[in-house]
Structures are given as structure tokens and as C-alpha cells.
Amino acid sequence: HLRSGLTDLQGVPMTLSVTHRWDDIKNFSAHPDDLLIATYPKSGTTWMVEIVDSIRNEGISQEMRSIPSLMRAPFLEMNPPAPFPSGLDILKTMPAPRMVKTHLPFQLVPQSFWDNNCKAIYIARNAKDVLISYYYFHKMNTGMPEPGTWHEFFDNFLSGKVSWGSWFDHVTGWWDAREGLRIHYVFYEDLKQDPVKEIKKVALFLGKTLNKELLDTILEHTSFNKMKDNPMTNFSTVPPFVFKHDISPFMRKGTVGDWKLHLTVAENERFDEEYQRRMAATSLTFRTEL
Ligand code: A3P
């Protein structure tokens, strides 16, 4: 049973923004130089987009950017729908090389990306911090379904009955897909702990080398505090009837281990039990603190 606002898409609960024109998304025609930035929501999408953009522009691009999501219209759920161009429409006029954001689980990504041997960067973040961040995001983003009470949201997250489906399926699906494809798998926790090392790895994946000066500039520009104050990255330009920043800012905390300030001992035990059951068969491991 799905909460209102979510529709089943091949076994994955989805918001209307995706299901409404699923055929257009499924049949999306990728260019070989398209770069896919893929994440489960709240795992560092905006952070990685900013890193890649700074690397590609060899410093800081000053223009207002809109990196399109591979979904039709993010705010279609709203009544009346917010008049923002759809990701698919933006992509049509975007000059190459394009960067495309997506939260799609691996099995739902348009086949055309893989037929064209496109590169993809997947950012994964530990489930407990994602749970907390996703809850606040549901509260502040009127385009998301009502999260219900904290307890309801906690249960729905664990059982995968939230938008974009199960975190467990998402991170393991992309992990298993790496072989034979050009997928660079990054952990939010690693990026937080050693951004120099991780930014260099991303640059290498993109075929770029960074000198010390450029690396320092990128490091500073993509730090949480800089991004929190930057109107190009903090989503402050999204109208307040869509993003309620007074309830919770988009750039909320940007830390590892915030779950410790939220989960009770009992909730944490329940989470660990389900986690162990769902992750028993995978080689994929996460850190929940630094
Ligand atoms: P919190 O809610 O835990 O603060 P996404 O872009 O995928 O929606 O992810 C948003 C999460 O990434 C938020 O987490 C946000 O604060 C965090 N984030 C964004 N930019 C960051 C940065 N430069 N450093 C650390 N965390 C960042």
C-alpha cells in the first residue's frame, strides 16, 4: 500500500513527476558525452554537481546554472503545476557536454545511456543520515508527498515505501552495475573526510588533471559553508511555496552522523536489524560516522 502521491513504477514508488511522462524518460536519447550524476535522494547530488561543474569549467562558473533532472517536471504535483521547464525540455537545448541528474534506480535508467557508453558518477550516503535528511526534505518540499509522522516515515523508509523506492535496492543496484560500465562510485562520507582525494579521483574519471591552485579553488567553492551561502547552490531561488526554507533549509547540516541526534536507541536497533538483513549478501559497506 503506497502513500498518496506515489505511484508504482515497475515495483518502485514514484512521484507523478516521473510517472506522468515515463515513456519520454524511458526513451530519452543520450549523447555519448552526456555525464549522468546519479544518487538516491539526499546523498550529495548538489555537492557532486557543483564539483563536476567546477572541474569542467576549470574554476568557478559564474553563470546561473540549471542542471536538469531526468524527470518531466519536478513540481507537477502542485496544483496548479509550477511553471518550471521540465528537465527533458532543458536537455533538448543544452550544449554538450551535458550533465544530467537522476535519482532513478539503475534498472530504470534509460538504456540509451549504456548503449552510448556514457560515464556516470553515483554518490552513495549511509542510510541513517539519508533517512534524517530525507525526512526534513519531505517537510520543506511541498512537491514531495506528506511524510506523515516521524514513526510512519521511519517505517516507510525501511520498507522502501518512499519516493524513488528502497535505499537498499538503490545503492546495491548501482554497486552491482559497475562492472563493464563507466560508473564511478563515490561515498559521501569519503568526500566529507578527504575532499582533496575524492575530487582528484572525480577529475581523473573525467579525464582532467587539477593543479594545486585550481584544486584549492574548487575545494573552497564546494565546501558546505560556501554552498550554503551561494544562491546558485542553496536553492534559495526556488519559490517559497515550493521549498519552505524556514521549515528546513536545503543546505541543512552537511555532516556525517546527524542520525545520532535523532534516532532513539530502540529505533537504532530496529534499523540495524533490518540493515543487516538487507545488506547481508553485498560487498558494499558504509560508514555511519567518521
Ligand atoms: P543534510 O540534510 O544532512 O544537511 P542532495 O543534494 O542529494 O539533495 O543532498 C542534500 C544533502 O547534502 C543535505 O544533507 C545537504 O546539506 C548536503 N550537502 C550539500 N552540499 C554539501 C557540501 N558541500 N558538503 C557536505 N554536505 C553537503
Side-chain angles (χ1 to χ4, degrees), residues 39-51 101 103 123 125 129-130 132-134 136-137 188 191-192 219-228 233 235 248-256 258:
T39 59
Y40 188 82
K42 312 322 290 174
S43 301
T45 328
T46 317
W47 193 6
M48 185 53 71
V49 163
E50 199 59 17
I51 289 171
K101 287 193 288 193
H103 293 316
I123 311 102
R125 186 182 191 186
D129 283 332
V130 169
I132 305 302
S133 184
Y134 212 10
Y136 281 103
F137 191 59
Y188 178 99
L191 195 53
K192 189 79 196 170
L219 202 60
E220 159 87 357
H221 180 73
T222 59
S223 69
F224 179 77
N225 286 338
K226 270 280 150 66
M227 284 183 61
K228 191 177 172 67
T233 55
F235 289 85
S248 177
F250 186 92
M251 292 288 163
R252 198 180 57 89
K253 281 196 180 173
T255 58
V256 178
D258 189 38

Side-chain angles (χ1 to χ4, degrees), residues 236-250:
S236 55
T237 54
V238 175
F241 69 92
V242 181
F243 276 6
K244 297 189 180 306
H245 289 270
D246 54 333
I247 291 182
S248 177
F250 186 92

Side-chain angles (χ1 to χ4, degrees), residues 17 26 59 78 111 151 154 160 169 185 205 233 241 256 272 284:
S17 58
K26 192 177 74 184
M78 310 203 59
Q111 181 58 32
H151 295 288
F154 180 91
D169 293 344
Y185 203 102
F205 180 69
T233 55
F241 69 92
V256 178
D272 285 344
L284 177 60

Side-chain angles (χ1 to χ4, degrees), residues 13-249:
M14 282 291 175
T15 50
L16 192 58
S17 58
V18 173
T19 53
H20 183 78
R21 263 182 35 191
W22 172 240
D23 282 352
D24 291 342
I25 296 175
K26 192 177 74 184
N27 298 323
F28 178 77
S29 164
H31 296 170
D33 56 5
D34 283 345
L35 173 71
L36 201 56
I37 307 284
T39 59
Y40 188 82
K42 312 322 290 174
S43 301
T45 328
T46 317
W47 193 6
M48 185 53 71
V49 163
E50 199 59 17
I51 289 171
V52 170
D53 201 60
S54 313
I55 293 173
R56 280 188 164 175
N57 290 299
E58 308 206 331
I60 310 314
S61 110
Q62 297 297 332
E63 305 153 41
M64 193 62 154
R65 295 176 314 284
S66 168
I67 306 300
S69 294
L70 199 56
M71 49 167 96
R72 183 179 175 268
F75 303 110
L76 200 69
E77 287 80 1
M78 310 203 59
N79 188 15
F84 302 130
S86 79
L88 288 170
D89 291 340
I90 297 171
L91 281 162
K92 277 184 202 141
T93 57
M94 198 178 175
R98 303 185 297 186
M99 178 161 34
V100 188
K101 287 193 288 193
T102 189
H103 293 316
L104 286 171
F106 178 77
Q107 76 276 11
L108 294 181
V109 170
Q111 181 58 32
S112 155
F113 282 99
W114 314 127
D115 291 346
N116 282 285
N117 198 23
C118 292
K119 287 184 187 174
I121 301 179
Y122 185 81
I123 311 102
R125 186 182 191 186
N126 82 80
K128 290 179 184 176
D129 283 332
V130 169
L131 160 68
I132 305 302
S133 184
Y134 212 10
Y135 180 64
Y136 281 103
F137 191 59
H138 275 73
K139 290 249 181 224
M140 68 84 77
N141 181 356
T142 55
M144 299 296 285
E146 275 292 326
T149 65
W150 159 247
H151 295 288
E152 283 163 346
F153 190 79
F154 180 91
D155 283 345
N156 286 330
F157 182 86
L158 271 190
S159 57
K161 294 197 181 87
V162 287
S163 307
W164 309 100
S166 154
W167 175 91
F168 301 100
D169 293 344
H170 210 284
V171 295
T172 56
W174 277 90
W175 182 250
D176 296 343
R178 289 166 305 142
E179 203 151 317
L181 296 177
R182 300 202 290 172
I183 298 174
H184 179 57
Y185 203 102
V186 182
F187 295 92
Y188 178 99
E189 293 74 24
D190 292 349
L191 195 53
K192 189 79 196 170
Q193 187 169 48
D194 196 344
V196 169
K197 183 175 163 198
E198 295 303 321
I199 290 171
K200 278 184 179 167
K201 274 159 64 178
V202 170
L204 191 69
F205 180 69
L206 299 176
K208 306 252 186 194
T209 44
L210 307 174
N211 63 32
K212 170 90 174 73
E213 198 193 340
L214 182 51
L215 186 62
D216 285 347
T217 310
I218 293 173
L219 202 60
E220 159 87 357
H221 180 73
T222 59
S223 69
F224 179 77
N225 286 338
K226 270 280 150 66
M227 284 183 61
K228 191 177 172 67
D229 289 340
N230 181 351
M232 291 194 287
T233 55
N234 65 15
F235 289 85
S236 55
T237 54
V238 175
F241 69 92
V242 181
F243 276 6
K244 297 189 180 306
H245 289 270
D246 54 333
I247 291 182
S248 177

